[in-house]
Every structure is written in structure tokens, then in C-alpha cells.
Amino acid sequence: MSLSSKDKDIVRAFWAKIGGKADEIGADALGRMLMVYPQSKTYFAHWKDLSPGSAPVKKHGKTVMAGVGNAVAKIDDLAGGLLTLSELHAFTLRVDPANFKSLAHCFLVVLAITYPTDFTPEVHLAVDKFLAALARALSEKYR
Amino acid sequence: MVEWTDFERATIQGIFDKMEYEVVGPAALCRCLVVYPWTQRYFGNFGNLYNAAAILANPLVAKHGTTILHGLDRALKNMDNIKATYAELSVLHSEKLHVDPDNFKLLSDCLTIVVAAKMGADFTPDVQAAFQKFLSVVVSALGRQYH
């Protein structure tokens, strides 16, 4: 299920459309994940407030989206481009990869809410493939 | 037995009260067939599924999408016993239709996304949580009778 050049074009175009809203979208997606998939909260026990819209969620949503933006820029070589992040997730964070799927789904939900007409099935397909490829690259160093 | 809060019951009922079955059902099934093309394996006799445009224009897909969505009405009317409510449908999907139960989750994710697009800002995180909880109970019940 590798990314075709059409998929990459769609992802790059949609990322450009998201533009400055990225931080907001990231925070919304993260907040939703914590609420809809409570097991994900286990990674943030050190936060004071895990509710949607809280300061730690907003801050971290921004961090995550910077990573996603970086991945879009490195879309032609995700494993190489995300090497450092992969090592971080593998050796320090040790996030169970199932959670990448949960966050990806919430990200898609936010895109559907924000862009109800533009988030067509074809765009959904390309973005879903991209997020899956991103997750794979992030889990590269796990074992 | 699944415990439902008042908020969850009201939220889920509210979503279905406003549901446009003939729009949302087809949209969800089409999305599933496009985003997860291997799900097309169950619709060999539906005619043209060649590309996204064909899928979206296919009247058999549209009709079936509506049928599936109405299937959720049963759970809505029997929220305290969804498992038993779907026992027969579970047997059907297992023994007659031979649908891999993992597909139920794929369709339910697509349905969530279509409902989110329709509801916009009203599809808040807690509404999403309630809706996804409902769908996950249905999905579990549908897979229950497989052996």
C-alpha cells in the first residue's frame, strides 16, 4: 500500500490548503483521541489537564503537527526523513503503534468536520494511506 | 451488559433523529469501498465499481448503504441488549455472507467520518466518543456469532 505519485500530490495539496490551521487541527485531533480512545491517556499521566482544548493538549497538538508537516515535506522518503523521530518513539516514548491508528482516525474526523466538501473519498484515501505510511516510518526502529 | 449514560443515550438518539438515511448510508458505504478497496470483494454482483466516480454513481451501492444504515435502528431501539438483537444478523454475515468482521470496523470508521462532516462543529469530542462507543458495541455484536 505504498504512496503513488497521485497520492503524494493530493496530500501535498491538502496540506497546503490546511496552511495555518494545522495547529488547531492537531490540537482538536489529539483532544478527540484522548476522549474517544481512553487508553491513549496512559501516555500523558504527567499532564495536569487532558481535556480537549486544554493548554497541554494545544501545545502537544502543535508539536505533533510539526512532525506531520515534516513528514509531508519528506514524503518521498519517510523512513529516512523520520529516522530521529522513529528513534524517539522507539526508545524513549515507546508508544504502542496501535495508538497511531487512533490518532490518524481522529485527524481524519477533524478534516471531515473542517472541510466537509473538499474531504472527498479520494482525498480521504490518500491521506489515510499517508498517515499509515507515516505510522510505519515512526515504528521503523521499534524492533 | 453495556452501561450507557443519559448523555450517551440522548446523543445517539439525537444523531439518528436527524439522520438523512438516504444520504449518509450511501456516502458511508461508497467511502468504505473507495478508501478500503478490498471491501469490494463482497459486492461482485453490484456492477461497475471500477473507480470512485463509478462507485458514487452506482444505484445498488446507494440502496445497500441505506439498508445498512437502517440496520442500526435495531440497536437504537434495543440499546440495553444489542448483543442479542444482532445474533441473527451475525450468523447471516458469518455463515451466508462470509464477511470478515474486521470490515465492520472499517465501515463504522467511514460512517463516523461522514456523520462528522454532516454535523460539523456539533460533532464535538464527547459526541464522537458516544457515537463511536455505540458503533463499537454494534460491531462487536455483529462479530459475536462467528466461529
Side-chain angles (χ1 to χ4, degrees):
Chain A
M1 295 200 255
S2 50
L3 296 169
S4 66
S5 46
K6 181 174 168 211
D7 292 327
K8 292 179 192 177
D9 287 342
I10 292 176
V11 168
R12 276 188 285 245
F14 213 76
W15 186 256
K17 184 195 283 284
I18 287 173
K21 274 198 160 154
D23 293 348
E24 201 184 303
I25 288 174
D28 194 352
L30 190 66
R32 279 171 194 274
M33 180 187 72
L34 296 169
M35 192 165 260
V36 179
Y37 303 97
Q39 73 198 60
S40 60
K41 292 196 289 192
T42 55
Y43 296 95
F44 303 102
H46 55 287
W47 284 359
K48 272 207 171 73
D49 186 353
L50 286 141
S51 56
S54 70
V57 169
K58 274 193 170 139
K59 180 164 179 274
H60 200 61
K62 199 171 163 185
T63 306
V64 168
M65 288 309 265
V68 175
N70 183 34
V72 175
K74 311 245 168 85
I75 204 168
D76 290 317
D77 177 21
L78 286 171
L82 298 176
L83 190 61
T84 328
L85 269 177
S86 178
E87 286 173 351
L88 176 76
H89 283 76
F91 305 127
T92 312
L93 303 176
R94 288 175 291 195
V95 175
D96 188 302
N99 294 281
F100 299 149
K101 263 198 170 166
S102 307
L103 182 57
H105 172 72
C106 290
F107 183 63
L108 296 172
V109 167
V110 176
L111 290 183
I113 289 170
T114 317
Y115 307 100
T117 26
D118 293 328
F119 193 62
T120 60
E122 286 117 314
V123 171
H124 177 166
L125 169 62
V127 176
D128 193 42
K129 282 177 77 175
F130 167 68
L131 293 173
L134 210 178
R136 266 198 313 277
L138 272 182
S139 4
E140 236 338 272
K141 294 284 166 201
Y142 270 55
R143 56 177 176 173
Chain B
M1 211 191 75
V2 181
E3 298 287 336
W4 302 98
T5 64
D6 291 340
F7 172 80
E8 285 166 345
R9 284 180 198 270
T11 298
I12 294 157
Q13 185 65 55
I15 291 174
F16 280 90
D17 282 342
K18 295 187 210 76
M19 184 75 80
E20 294 169 277
Y21 287 80
E22 283 93 33
V23 173
V24 173
L29 183 59
C30 286
R31 198 164 277 256
C32 188
L33 295 170
V34 170
V35 178
Y36 307 108
W38 55 91
T39 56
Q40 292 169 25
R41 75 190 303 284
Y42 303 108
F43 301 100
N45 57 347
F46 269 39
N48 189 0
L49 299 177
Y50 191 60
N51 53 33
I55 292 170
L56 285 154
N58 188 314
L60 290 174
V61 172
K63 182 162 177 278
H64 197 62
T66 310
T67 303
I68 293 174
L69 193 54
H70 275 297
L72 291 177
D73 291 343
R74 300 187 203 204
L76 196 60
K77 294 192 187 82
N78 294 285
M79 278 181 67
D80 292 314
N81 205 351
I82 292 178
K83 197 161 65 176
T85 302
Y86 283 111
E88 209 183 297
L89 267 176
S90 178
V91 169
L92 175 82
H93 282 77
S94 165
E95 298 188 2
K96 186 153 178 279
L97 304 175
H98 307 291
V99 177
D100 180 340
D102 283 352
N103 291 283
F104 303 147
K105 184 164 188 305
L106 298 179
L107 180 58
S108 87
D109 283 348
C110 287
L111 178 59
T112 302
I113 282 164
V114 171
V115 169
K118 284 253 144 220
M119 289 182 65
D122 289 343
F123 199 66
T124 60
D126 41 14
V127 167
Q128 181 183 347
F131 189 63
Q132 288 200 214
K133 179 177 167 179
F134 174 72
L135 290 181
S136 72
V137 173
V138 170
V139 163
S140 169
L142 270 178
R144 195 73 176 64
Q145 305 303 327
Y146 280 63
H147 62 95

